[in-house]
Amino acid sequence: MTGRRIVVVGAGPRALGLVERLGANAGVVGTPGERVEVHVVDPHPPGTGRIWRAAQSPLLWMNSEAQDVTVFTDESVTCEGPVVPGPSLSEWAAGPEASAAAAGLSARSFAPRVVQADYLDWAWGRVVGSLPEAVSVHVHASRAVGLVDRGGSQRVGLADGRHLEADLVVLAQGYLDQAPAPGEQRLLDVAAAQGLTYVPPGHTADLDLDGLQPGEPVVVRGMGLAFVDLVVLLGEGRGGTFTGDGTQLTYHPSGREPVLHVGSRRGVPYHAKLGYEVREGVAGPAPLRHLTRERLATLGGGTSVLDYRSQVWPLVVLELAAAHYRRLFEAHPERTRGTLEALERALARADVTNGELTAVAVAHLSDPEDVFDIHRIDRPLDAVLHDGTSPDEVERLVAEHVGHDLTRRADPSRSSDRAVFDTLLAVYAVLTELVVTGRLLDEDRVRHVEGHFHGLFSFLASGPPPRRLAELLALHRAGIVRFLGPHLELVIEDGAFVGRSGDREVRARAAVDARLPRPDSALVTDPLVAGLLASGELRSRPVTASDGTALGAGQLVDDARARAVRADGSVHPHRYLVGPAVSGSVGAGGFSRPRFNGPGFRQNDAVARDLLTVALAGRTTPAHLISSSSHRPPRRAPVHVRDHDDAHRPQHDPRDTPREKDHRHAS
Ligand SMILES: Cc1cc2nc3c(=O)[nH]c(=O)nc-3n(C[C@H](O)[C@H](O)[C@H](O)COP(=O)(O)OP(=O)(O)OC[C@H]3O[C@@H](n4cnc5c(N)ncnc54)[C@H](O)[C@@H]3O)c2cc1C
C-alpha cells in the first residue's frame, strides 16, 4: 500500500490549521500506519502566507487582542479528533520562544501584524516538528496554476513548471485576486485617460500609494479596516506622530500627508473593538433560541428553499434583539422595567420589518440608549442627516458618532453590545449552514448573506482597535481626515474625481477605493481557480436580482463537507474548498479565540478526518510524488523540510511533542 498524497494550495493560517489537524488525527482515523504526504504550495512562507508575511510595514496592527488569537485547539473545541493544546498569541509572547519583536506584548495589546507573523512562523515549526512519523510535509514555494483529474488521481501544475500528483486536493487560497469590477474598470480607464490617480480595491499592504501627493485632496470610498490601514500608511507611515493618551491624542503632521475626504455607505467607520471583558461561562458562540435548526426545519418542510427576507432575516433580528435585552435584564436590571419573559413574549410576536420590535421594547426600558433598533444600528446617520445638511455639520456629527462609540465600547455597563457580538457569530454559523445545505437561492446568498449580513457583521464585530479610532479623530482635528457622509458616490466629472454624499461634494485629482474587492468568482484572476471555473469544475453563476441589479457571482460554493461543487451541481469527491473565498466556509473570518470552540477548528478537524478516511478508489498513479513537465530530475522532497527556508527548520525531536506527552484526548 502506498501512502496518501494530499496537496494543499495556500500556506496561510488555514493550511497551518489543516496540517495541525492532519497530524493530530493521523493514526486515530484512516488506515493504521498509512503514510500521509502533505504538499503545501504557496509563493509566501508557510504558516504566515501572504496576509501575515513578515515583510510588511510594522505600523499595521491586528484587529484582535493578543489574548483572543490562537491557532491551537483546547478543551472547548467540540471536534471528533484529539485536542492538542498550544499557546495563544499572548501566551507565546510571554514565553521563552517568543521573538524579540513580541517583547512587551500584553494580553490586551493589538499586535503588529509582523509579530503575528513570528507567532505563525513559530506555530508552523512546532506543528510540522510534532507530526507523527507517518506524516510528512513538503513545502513548495511556488504558485499553483492548474488542476486536472488524471487517471484516478489529480495533477496540480505549478508556476515553476513542475507537477504534483495527488489523491486529494484542498484549495485554501484565502482572498482570491480579482479583476476590477466593471465600475472600477471604468474609473481606471477614465482616470488613466485624464491623468488622474485611482487606487482600486486591494490589500492595502500591497497598494502603491506613491501617487497620492502631499497636501492634495483625495476622495476615499470605504471606512472599514482597509481604510484604517490606509490612514496608518499615509499618516504615521509618512512621518506623522501622535502625542497624548487614550482618546485624547494630538496628531503632528509631517507635511507629506494628503488630505483624505472619506465617506462610505454608512458614512462612519466600523465600531471599535469592545474594551472590556465579559468572560463568565463563555465557551463559544452564544446558544440561539429563535434562529434554531428546529425552527428552520419547520419552515417549508425542512428541506425546501427559504426566502431570506421574509423567513430568515426576521429571525436574525429577533435573535440579536433578544440577546441584547437578555443581557440587559441580567446584568443591568436597574435600567429595565417589567420582566424579561414578558418582553421576550412581546418581541416574539412583533413584526421586525417595521418599528414594532423597537416599540414593544421601549415600555421595558428606562434609558433610550438601550433600545435595540437594527435600522439605526445599521445606518446610524440616516436619521440625523439629509441632503441639505451642511458639510461642517456632517463632519461634526461623524466625529461625535466616533467619540460616542469610543466611550460606549469601553463601558461595561453597555455589555448588551457584547451579547450581540457573541450572538452574531452564532447567527453567522447558522446562515453558513443554510448556504451549504442549499436552502438559500444564489440571489439570497450573494445579496443577503455574503453582502448585507457580512457587511453588518464586519461593521459591528470586526472593527479596529479603539486606539485607531482615537487616532482618526486626532487626524480629523489636524485637518488630515475630513468626513464626507453616507451613501458616498464616486464619479469622474469634468476632469476630476467627485465624491458626493447628498448634495455635499468634493473634487480631487486622486481617489482610493479603500476595501478588499467584493468577492465575485466571475472576476477571479488566480489562474488555478479561473481555470477550474472555466471548465465547470467549480460553480460560478452571475446573479441578477429581481430588480435587475447585477450582483456578481459571489463566492465559490462547496457542500456541507467542504467539497467543491461543480457548475452542474455535482460534488468533486476529492477536492475541498476552505477559507474566505468560499461561501459558508465556517471560521473563515479570522483567528479563533481560546476557549471559544472556534468553528474553524471544527471544520479543519472534520476536513482533515475526511482527507484521512475518504476512499481513494480508482487511484492508478504511481507512488512517486513529483513529476516534471520540464524534464527536471524528480526532486526528492525531504520530510519536515521547507523547500525555501531550511535554515529555520524546527529542531524538535518529533517524539518529544505534546502529542507524545499525551496532552490530548479523544472527545
Ligand atoms: C488585511 C487583513 C487583515 C486581517 N486581520 C485580521 C485580524 O487582525 N484578526 C483576524 O482574526 N483575522 C484577520 N484577517 C482575516 C484573515 O482572513 C485570516 O486571519 C486568515 O489570514 C485567513 O487565512 P487563510 O489561510 O484562509 O487565507 P490567507 O491568509 O489569505 O492565505 C491564503 C494563502 O494562499 C496563497 N495562495 C492563493 N492562491 C494561490 C495559488 N494559486 N497557489 C499557491 N498559493 C496560493 C496566498 O499566497 C496566501 O498565502 C485579516 C484579513 C486581511 C485581509
Side-chain angles (χ1 to χ4, degrees):
M1 172 72 192
T2 60
R4 193 169 284 249
R5 291 150 308 181
I6 301 165
V7 168
V8 180
V9 180
R14 195 70 194 216
L16 167 64
L18 278 169
V19 170
E20 193 277 332
R21 289 290 84 199
L22 283 166
N25 282 292
V28 180
V29 294
T31 312
E34 182 189 26
R35 291 199 64 78
V36 180
E37 292 172 355
V38 186
H39 293 260
V40 178
V41 184
D42 199 322
H44 292 285
T48 63
R50 174 184 181 183
I51 293 175
W52 303 104
R53 62 188 189 261
Q56 60 180 303
S57 167
L59 295 172
L60 297 173
W61 292 352
M62 300 193 76
N63 63 348
S64 323
E65 291 182 0
Q67 65 180 352
D68 285 342
V69 174
T70 188
V71 292
F72 297 104
T73 52
D74 58 34
E75 302 297 326
S76 73
V77 180
T78 53
C79 60
E80 287 185 61
V83 166
V84 185
S88 66
L89 171 58
S90 60
E91 289 164 346
W92 164 84
E97 300 193 67
S99 64
L105 192 75
S106 75
R108 305 294 311 270
S109 304
F110 292 87
R113 283 188 205 146
V114 292
V115 171
Q116 175 69 349
D118 291 344
Y119 171 64
L120 292 171
D121 180 58
W122 171 84
W124 176 264
R126 168 170 157 151
V127 164
V128 172
S130 307
L131 292 171
E133 283 298 326
V135 182
S136 61
V137 170
H138 313 262
V139 176
H140 306 273
S142 185
R143 179 161 287 278
V145 292
L147 171 58
V148 288
D149 280 305
R150 189 164 170 272
S153 80
Q154 300 186 60
R155 170 178 262 229
V156 181
L158 305 189
D160 61 17
R162 290 180 295 147
H163 290 97
L164 303 176
E165 302 290 344
D167 301 305
L168 299 153
V169 175
V170 184
L171 305 187
Q173 296 176 244
Y175 301 88
L176 296 165
D177 285 334
Q178 288 183 191
E184 296 150 14
Q185 187 61 54
R186 266 193 305 280
L187 289 177
L188 274 170
D189 293 343
V190 179
Q194 303 192 6
L196 306 174
T197 299
Y198 171 58
V199 182
H203 287 263
T204 314
D206 297 342
L207 299 176
D208 179 2
L209 304 175
D210 290 348
L212 308 177
Q213 304 296 326
E216 78 165 335
V218 175
V219 182
V220 179
R221 182 164 58 174
M223 297 185 80
L225 295 175
F227 165 63
V228 170
D229 286 352
L230 182 80
V231 167
V232 169
L233 293 177
L234 294 175
E236 277 185 293
R238 290 200 176 176
T241 52
F242 292 96
T243 53
D245 276 324
T247 54
Q248 298 311 308
L249 301 178
T250 303
Y251 182 70
H252 307 280
S254 68
R256 293 195 288 127
E257 308 86 346
V259 177
L260 305 178
H261 295 261
V262 62
S264 64
R265 243 174 323 165
R266 294 187 180 89
V268 295
Y270 287 3
H271 286 285
K273 275 275 147 52
L274 292 160
Y276 54 85
E277 300 185 58
V278 181
R279 291 207 174 252
E280 79 284 356
V282 176
L288 298 182
R289 298 175 187 213
H290 302 281
L291 188 73
T292 58
R293 284 197 184 88
E294 297 70 34
R295 181 82 171 264
L296 292 166
T298 60
L299 292 173
T303 51
S304 64
V305 165
L306 297 172
D307 179 67
Y308 183 87
R309 259 188 299 193
S310 65
Q311 293 178 295
V312 182
W313 175 243
L315 292 175
V316 170
V317 177
L318 179 59
E319 195 69 67
L320 296 175
H324 170 95
Y325 293 126
R326 204 174 308 124
R327 172 65 55 80
L328 189 68
F329 270 78
E330 283 165 9
H332 316 293
E334 70 284 359
R335 301 203 303 270
T336 64
R337 294 195 195 115
T339 65
L340 175 62
E341 292 67 34
L343 173 56
E344 286 196 322
R345 276 196 303 276
L347 291 175
R349 284 194 304 267
D351 181 349
V352 308
T353 57
N354 55 34
E356 220 181 287
L357 199 72
T358 315
V360 299
V362 168
H364 293 264
L365 310 171
S366 60
D367 180 351
E369 282 273 308
D370 285 324
V371 172
F372 181 89
D373 179 347
I374 193 67
H375 304 292
R376 212 186 58 193
I377 289 170
D378 195 13
R379 293 283 186 271
L381 296 180
D382 281 9
V384 290
L385 290 188
H386 48 85
D387 283 355
T389 310
S390 73
D392 285 352
E393 182 64 358
V394 171
E395 299 240 31
R396 192 188 67 71
L397 286 165
V398 175
E400 187 178 277
H401 171 91
V402 175
H404 177 73
D405 186 52
L406 278 169
T407 306
R408 179 167 175 139
R409 292 257 149 174
D411 180 358
S413 78
R414 300 292 170 190
S415 68
S416 43
D417 291 347
R418 180 95 213 186
V420 171
F421 173 89
D422 290 338
T423 305
L424 274 166
L425 291 168
V427 166
Y428 216 150
V430 172
L431 297 185
T432 292
E433 218 169 285
L434 294 179
V435 167
V436 297
T437 51
R439 295 200 68 197
L440 293 176
L441 289 175
D442 278 343
E443 177 177 343
D444 279 352
R445 169 177 71 84
V446 176
R447 169 170 263 180
H448 296 299
V449 180
E450 299 172 12
H452 177 256
F453 182 80
H454 179 75
L456 182 67
F457 177 88
S458 304
F459 178 58
L460 295 176
S462 292
R467 161 93 191 186
R468 291 306 197 201
L469 291 189
E471 291 177 359
L472 189 66
L473 288 180
L475 284 152
H476 174 62
R477 287 190 291 271
I480 304 295
V481 172
R482 311 288 305 270
F483 300 123
L484 271 172
H487 310 292
L488 183 76
E489 250 190 293
L490 176 64
V491 291
I492 298 178
E493 281 174 10
D494 303 326
F497 281 105
V498 178
R500 192 173 283 132
S501 165
D503 55 15
R504 300 166 297 273
E505 64 175 49
V506 65
R507 295 175 67 80
R509 192 200 57 83
V512 180
D513 257 326
R515 59 179 169 81
L516 284 174
R518 192 165 294 118
D520 183 351
S521 52
L523 297 173
V524 167
T525 51
D526 173 78
L528 173 64
V529 171
L532 292 171
L533 287 165
S535 59
E537 286 294 314
L538 289 175
R539 201 180 106 192
S540 169
R541 223 179 267 159
V543 177
T544 305
S546 37
D547 63 4
T549 313
L551 300 175
Q555 297 174 312
L556 301 174
V557 185
D558 62 6
D559 76 349
R561 279 171 55 192
R563 297 172 308 172
V565 173
R566 299 187 180 98
D568 64 4
S570 64
V571 167
H572 196 298
H574 296 152
R575 290 181 189 162
Y576 293 74
L577 307 175
V578 287
V582 185
S583 195
S585 181
V586 289
F591 295 100
S592 178
R593 288 188 245 167
R595 296 172 295 285
F596 198 71
N597 193 14
F601 287 131
R602 286 180 270 144
Q603 189 181 49
N604 284 348
D605 188 73
V607 170
R609 290 170 75 89
D610 236 25
L611 292 169
L612 292 168
T613 53
V614 73
L616 303 176
R619 182 166 87 177
T620 56
T621 48
H624 68 264
L625 298 174
I626 303 175
S627 66
S628 169
S629 61
S630 56
H631 306 294
R632 294 179 191 206
R635 246 171 41 165
R636 190 171 160 356
V639 174
H640 298 173
V641 169
R642 304 188 302 186
D643 285 3
H644 67 292
D645 192 5
D646 289 39
H648 289 102
R649 176 155 55 111
Q651 299 301 309
H652 307 254
D653 177 342
R655 286 160 305 179
D656 181 22
T657 68
R659 285 174 56 82
E660 297 302 317
K661 288 179 187 158
D662 204 21
H663 283 304
R664 61 205 172 103
H665 74 274
S667 51

